[in-house]
Amino acid sequence: MAASEENSSLFPIFILTMLALPLVPYTIMQLCRAASKKAKSINCQCSVCSKSGKYRKSIFKKISNFSTWSNLTLVLLWIIMGVLVYYIKTINREIQVFEPFSILGLQPGASDSEIKKAYRRLSVQYHPDKNPDPDAHKYFVESIAKAYQALTDPISRENFEKYGHPDGRQGFQMGIALPQFLLNIEGASGGILLLWIVGVCILLPLVVAVAYLSRSSKYTGNYVMHQTLSAYYYFMKPSLAPSKIMDVLIKAAEYMEIPVRRPDGEPLQKLFMLVRSELNLDLKNIKQEQAKFWKQHPALVKTELLIQAHLTRQTATLTPELQRDFKRVVELAPRLLEELMKMAVIPRTAQGHGWLRPAVGVIELSQCIIQAVPLSARKPTGGSSEGIAPFLQLPHFNETVLKKIARKKIKTLQDLRDMSIEDRAEFLSQTANFSPTEIQDIESVLSMMPSITLQVTCGTEGEEGGIQEGDIVTIQSWVTLTRPNGLTRALPHSPFYPFHKEEHHWFLLADQTSNNVWFSQKLTFMDEAAAITAASKSIEETMEGSGASAREIGKAVRDAVEKVKSGSRLVMGKFQAPSEGSYNLTCFLLCDSWIGCDKKTGVKVKVVKRTRAGTRGGVVEDGAAVDDGGEEEEEVEEEEYDEDYESEYSEDEEDDKNKNKNNNNKEIRANGKAKASASSSSSGSDDE
């Protein structure tokens, strides 16, 4: 019975141990993640962002941010652990080791006379004849009498002094740390034990597995439905104009699940009249176009109208129900746009290339959603290829202010950024009549805007002869981000977007003539530790492949780490060299949050006819230019993105169709040339 009680008392300790093993490291991980988020949440300090309340740290917002299911579960588990610790300490006080000297109130080694005197004194207090209390009787029989017997009997006392127990040496016992009622297998307790084993060992893992498999079969790792990815893959086309990206975005399965209520009909009708100019409707047949628009699936109509309300900054007119739906729509938008971007750049052509035009359109739509700028504002006007959209992301700017600025020959946002702080303040004060507070807000946003520089090299490694047909070419680029305020990690100015949004950039190596993306990679400047690890690993693997010494590798890794800490990120990848010819490629670095902060760099690569067998990959760090005798030719030309690349929102449908036909013809001719060159090279190798 005593052994059973001892085993039962170990059950809370067993539960505490099993609970602490996963809970402690998970809590540490969550605290580290929260600390990193707190360190990198550097947001805009302008008055417009402050009034939006997005970064306001009120007690209610802190509670709402904290009270997620994972955090509440974590707190509940820690409360259970605290209760278990308290219960275990209480049990340890109740279950005490048999100490006869302590029971009689004596010091170890007391004489027989002292033991008898203590026994008589305690008998007066606890003997049943002297004290009728049942607890006193129990204590006298189980403790006092037993202790007196253990110390007065010579054999019992010798056993206790040698082995710590009156009965002598005790054998080793093993038990199960389960409650006592589960260990009693007689009667109903056996069934309870069986149910407990089946539930914990079989049913619980089965339920977890079913829940995980059902969720993984519906969602991807980025929490986007598989049905959404299938729709995006189907509707993505190589000639998809940026103005048509919206039609693909709203076809997500997540948006189809947003409820459409009858009371929403009238508010949506009013919203339609407010944003009708942004819906690309044919004004010549406006009645037919409107009827066609409302014949779409109600969820598609509702989603597009809510997004357009956000772009035109008309969300204040929405009803409370539509406000909730609107927040759900824009919350999902960055995640869905990222998957839409992946659908644009994944290998689609026979050469394994993606499509440039829809990829640029996705980024432009993402910029407009984050900054709440209508798509029509990107139409080229005057000397700006991106229209007035870059100016509208600045606080206190509107079309009236832009008309005043345009008279002073400020055509682009870069012209305004290139001015000194004093000249810009004087210019804005005199031209737009901005107050000092408003000018301070504008300066705060301009100091947050990133400036990008690119250093790109392409090459092969190990063998002479430059880049030849079929070679595996390595592209390496150092992307450096700087801001006037000196920060590298920062959240973008986005007062109208109701959620926190981190900056992300997309690196694209593309051929604008053929509309092909040869290489793409997403990068971020928010996680410095991950960037250091990735850059160190890439540099180390590259130099080990080239046969560099350990000292050279260590120096290169240290230099790479210093570059990352100073605000640079390493982009490295591989692609297969196409058929013989000279290619004028372009490296794009596109930001998904800021308008007018994109960058592009020209790269000229010459591929010569194959003169050696086999294919191999590698990198040439110097990227030296070569002549027509078979060496690589590479030139890097840096130019501002907004000077050369024009937004495609001004193109009509007829131009799109003509360009589609031309692109298709070019792809057919390019495929024919590639097949011909491949057959000629294979015949040449056979002759050898």
Side-chain angles (χ1 to χ4, degrees):
M1 186 66 181
S4 176
E5 293 179 356
E6 185 177 355
N7 292 333
S8 180
S9 65
L10 294 177
F11 178 68
I13 301 177
F14 171 75
I15 295 297
L16 179 65
T17 304
M18 298 303 296
L19 191 62
L21 285 176
L23 186 59
V24 172
Y26 180 75
T27 304
I28 295 174
M29 182 185 70
Q30 289 291 92
L31 292 176
C32 294
R33 186 178 298 175
S36 64
K37 284 184 179 180
K38 184 177 181 180
K40 67 185 181 183
S41 296
I42 306 172
N43 55 277
C44 180
Q45 302 297 325
C46 72
S47 61
V48 182
C49 288
S50 300
K51 291 179 182 178
S52 67
K54 182 167 57 172
Y55 305 110
R56 192 176 301 155
K57 298 180 179 179
S58 63
I59 185 64
F60 299 104
K61 194 159 188 178
K62 289 181 179 179
I63 293 174
S64 63
N65 292 336
F66 176 79
S67 56
T68 60
W69 283 111
S70 59
N71 291 340
L72 293 178
T73 304
L74 196 64
V75 171
L76 179 61
L77 292 176
W78 275 106
I79 292 175
I80 294 175
M81 282 189 61
V83 172
L84 287 174
V85 170
Y86 177 77
Y87 179 70
I88 291 170
K89 291 181 67 176
T90 305
I91 288 181
N92 288 337
R93 293 194 193 101
E94 294 177 354
I95 303 176
Q96 298 179 354
V97 180
F98 180 69
E99 291 287 350
F101 287 106
S102 299
I103 294 173
L104 297 178
L106 300 173
Q107 295 293 330
S111 62
D112 293 341
S113 60
E114 292 174 342
I115 294 173
K116 293 179 180 179
K117 186 183 297 185
Y119 175 72
R120 285 194 297 269
R121 177 172 49 82
L122 293 174
S123 298
V124 173
Q125 298 178 10
Y126 296 101
H127 195 276
D129 296 339
K130 304 292 184 180
N131 191 342
D133 188 1
D135 293 335
H137 177 259
K138 180 179 179 181
Y139 180 71
F140 180 81
V141 174
E142 294 182 357
S143 298
I144 297 175
K146 186 177 179 181
Y148 178 74
Q149 182 182 2
L151 295 179
T152 54
D153 184 65
I155 299 177
S156 298
R157 182 166 184 174
E158 183 180 0
N159 289 335
F160 174 76
E161 292 176 352
K162 283 185 177 181
Y163 307 111
H165 198 280
D167 297 333
R169 187 191 300 271
Q170 300 297 303
F172 181 74
Q173 295 182 354
M174 295 184 64
I176 303 175
L178 292 177
Q180 183 178 355
F181 73 91
L182 289 179
L183 295 176
N184 184 13
I185 61 174
E186 298 178 359
S189 298
I192 295 175
L193 177 60
L194 180 62
L195 291 176
W196 189 84
I197 294 175
V198 171
V200 173
C201 300
I202 299 177
L203 294 181
L204 182 60
L206 185 61
V207 170
V208 173
V210 169
Y212 173 77
L213 292 176
S214 62
R215 183 173 182 83
S216 61
S217 63
K218 187 177 181 181
Y219 292 92
T220 64
N222 199 22
Y223 299 102
V224 176
M225 292 185 179
H226 290 287
Q227 186 178 352
T228 299
L229 297 186
S230 301
Y232 284 174
Y233 186 87
Y234 176 78
F235 288 106
M236 182 63 64
K237 304 298 178 185
S239 59
L240 193 65
S243 57
K244 303 297 182 182
I245 296 295
M246 176 78 75
D247 298 335
V248 181
L249 172 66
I250 63 176
K251 290 181 172 60
E254 288 84 351
Y255 289 154
M256 301 297 289
E257 293 182 348
I258 294 178
V260 179
R261 298 171 289 267
R262 280 190 176 182
D264 295 340
E266 184 177 352
L268 290 178
Q269 288 282 355
K270 294 180 180 179
L271 184 60
F272 172 80
M273 299 305 296
L274 293 174
V275 302
R276 184 173 59 179
S277 59
E278 298 291 331
L279 296 176
N280 295 323
L281 301 180
D282 187 4
L283 298 179
K284 297 179 181 179
N285 302 315
I286 187 64
K287 292 184 179 180
Q288 296 178 0
E289 290 289 320
Q290 290 183 10
K292 182 180 178 181
F293 176 81
W294 288 104
K295 284 182 180 179
Q296 299 181 95
H297 192 283
L300 298 180
V301 173
K302 183 176 183 177
T303 301
E304 184 170 3
L305 290 178
L306 291 177
I307 294 178
Q308 293 293 353
H310 171 64
L311 297 180
T312 56
R313 303 178 183 179
Q314 300 287 343
T315 55
T317 61
L318 299 178
T319 62
E321 292 77 12
L322 289 179
Q323 283 281 359
R324 289 193 294 269
D325 296 337
F326 154 73
K327 290 185 178 181
R328 178 60 178 166
V329 168
V330 295
E331 182 183 14
L332 292 172
R335 192 187 312 166
L336 297 175
L337 285 168
E338 180 180 345
E339 296 302 321
L340 194 58
M341 182 69 177
K342 294 176 183 178
M343 291 295 107
V345 299
I346 61 173
R348 296 279 194 153
T349 65
Q351 295 81 18
H353 298 157
W355 297 326
L356 175 62
R357 193 181 188 197
V360 173
V362 171
I363 294 298
E364 290 183 349
L365 178 58
S366 175
Q367 294 170 354
C368 289
I369 290 178
I370 300 304
Q371 297 297 337
V373 173
L375 295 173
S376 59
R378 302 194 74 118
K379 293 181 179 179
T381 56
S384 175
S385 61
E386 293 188 337
I388 63 174
F391 289 101
L392 292 179
Q393 65 187 341
L394 298 178
H396 315 300
F397 269 72
N398 51 40
E399 294 185 2
T400 304
V401 173
L402 293 177
K403 289 179 181 179
K404 296 178 181 179
I405 290 177
R407 299 192 191 114
K408 301 297 182 179
K409 298 182 180 181
I410 299 296
K411 304 298 182 182
T412 64
L413 179 63
Q414 191 61 40
D415 295 338
L416 187 64
R417 296 180 66 185
D418 291 339
M419 299 174 68
S420 64
I421 297 178
E422 295 78 9
D423 294 342
R424 187 163 52 235
E426 183 180 358
F427 171 78
L428 294 175
S429 176
Q430 295 179 357
T431 306
N433 297 323
F434 282 144
S435 65
T437 304
E438 293 173 336
I439 294 176
Q440 185 178 359
D441 290 340
I442 296 171
E443 291 295 338
S444 176
V445 175
L446 291 176
S447 67
M448 297 283 290
M449 299 183 73
S451 298
I452 302 294
T453 57
L454 296 175
Q455 296 177 353
V456 186
T457 59
C458 291
T460 56
E461 175 196 337
E463 300 182 29
E464 300 179 354
I467 299 178
Q468 298 186 6
E469 296 174 335
D471 284 352
I472 302 300
V473 183
T474 299
I475 178 172
Q476 177 177 316
S477 175
W478 279 103
V479 181
T480 304
L481 181 145
T482 57
R483 305 180 200 270
N485 59 9
L487 297 175
T488 300
R489 301 176 296 173
L491 299 178
H493 164 80
S494 55
F496 298 97
Y497 187 77
F499 302 98
H500 289 217
K501 173 67 174 67
E502 295 183 356
E503 282 182 10
H504 295 292
H505 297 77
W506 280 87
F507 180 91
L508 304 179
L509 177 66
D511 186 352
Q512 290 182 273
T513 305
S514 61
N515 191 38
N516 289 335
V517 176
W518 292 25
F519 171 77
S520 64
Q521 182 175 324
K522 178 186 174 183
L523 69 154
T524 179
F525 289 85
M526 301 300 290
D527 194 346
E528 184 178 282
I532 290 175
T533 303
S536 303
K537 184 178 180 181
S538 300
I539 295 294
E540 185 176 354
E541 291 178 352
T542 301
M543 297 195 68
E544 285 179 353
S546 62
S549 63
R551 186 174 182 179
E552 294 173 342
I553 295 175
K555 184 178 183 303
V557 169
R558 287 193 296 272
D559 293 342
V561 171
E562 290 300 323
K563 281 188 176 182
V564 172
K565 290 182 178 180
S566 63
S568 297
R569 297 293 183 267
L570 177 62
V571 176
M572 185 174 289
K574 300 179 185 295
F575 62 90
Q576 188 173 15
S579 58
E580 179 185 5
S582 296
Y583 297 88
N584 295 322
L585 305 180
T586 306
C587 287
F588 293 89
L589 192 78
L590 308 177
C591 180
D592 68 348
S593 302
W594 293 98
I595 303 175
C597 296
D598 301 327
K599 185 76 173 180
K600 75 171 184 177
T601 298
V603 178
K604 294 182 180 179
V605 176
K606 184 174 182 179
V607 181
V608 299
K609 189 175 181 180
R610 187 150 201 85
T611 60
R612 55 179 179 267
T615 60
R616 80 284 179 280
V619 63
V620 175
E621 295 183 9
D622 53 5
V626 293
D627 55 17
D628 294 339
E631 298 180 353
E632 172 192 0
E633 175 181 311
E634 176 186 332
E635 299 175 3
V636 178
E637 301 174 354
E638 291 196 3
E639 45 195 337
E640 291 298 327
Y641 178 82
D642 56 3
E643 292 179 359
D644 294 335
Y645 182 78
E646 294 188 357
S647 178
E648 299 173 348
Y649 285 99
S650 60
E651 297 178 1
D652 54 17
E653 295 183 357
E654 293 181 1
D655 293 338
D656 293 343
K657 294 180 180 179
N658 294 333
K659 288 190 175 183
N660 293 346
K661 294 179 181 179
N662 294 334
N663 290 335
N664 292 335
N665 293 334
K666 288 178 182 179
E667 288 188 4
I668 293 173
R669 289 196 296 270
N671 292 338
K673 289 180 179 180
K675 292 180 180 178
S677 61
S679 60
S680 62
S681 63
S682 62
S683 62
S685 61
D686 292 338
D687 294 340
E688 291 177 3

